Amino acid sequence: MMLYRFLRKDPADEDRRQNIHGVVAVAPPAIACPAKANGLPVEVETDSLPQALLDFAWRGEFDA
């Protein structure tokens, strides 16, 4: 959706600035986390995919 808006040169209005939908891409971690958990190497180093997320460092932090 963001690429579409960029291509249309559609600036963000106030409503869009307050709406958080689409701010975080969930697909990359949704694939990377189970891949690493199953022994596949994840060789990407980026702030948008924190190592703590891949290492399940949050395990036990929340009641589920």
Side-chain angles (χ1 to χ4, degrees):
M1 187 58 112
M2 289 176 59
L3 177 61
Y4 176 72
R5 288 189 176 137
F6 170 74
L7 293 174
R8 289 185 51 206
K9 297 182 175 148
D10 185 9
D13 58 16
E14 189 59 32
D15 288 337
R16 210 175 294 149
R17 285 189 199 109
Q18 299 299 323
N19 187 343
I20 64 167
H21 295 290
V23 173
V24 176
V26 294
I31 298 300
C33 289
K36 182 158 184 180
N38 284 292
L40 294 171
V42 177
E43 299 171 349
V44 175
E45 293 183 22
T46 175
D47 291 339
S48 62
L49 186 59
Q51 191 64 37
L53 180 67
L54 291 174
D55 292 337
F56 297 100
W58 47 266
R59 190 178 307 191
E61 295 289 324
F62 304 99
D63 292 332

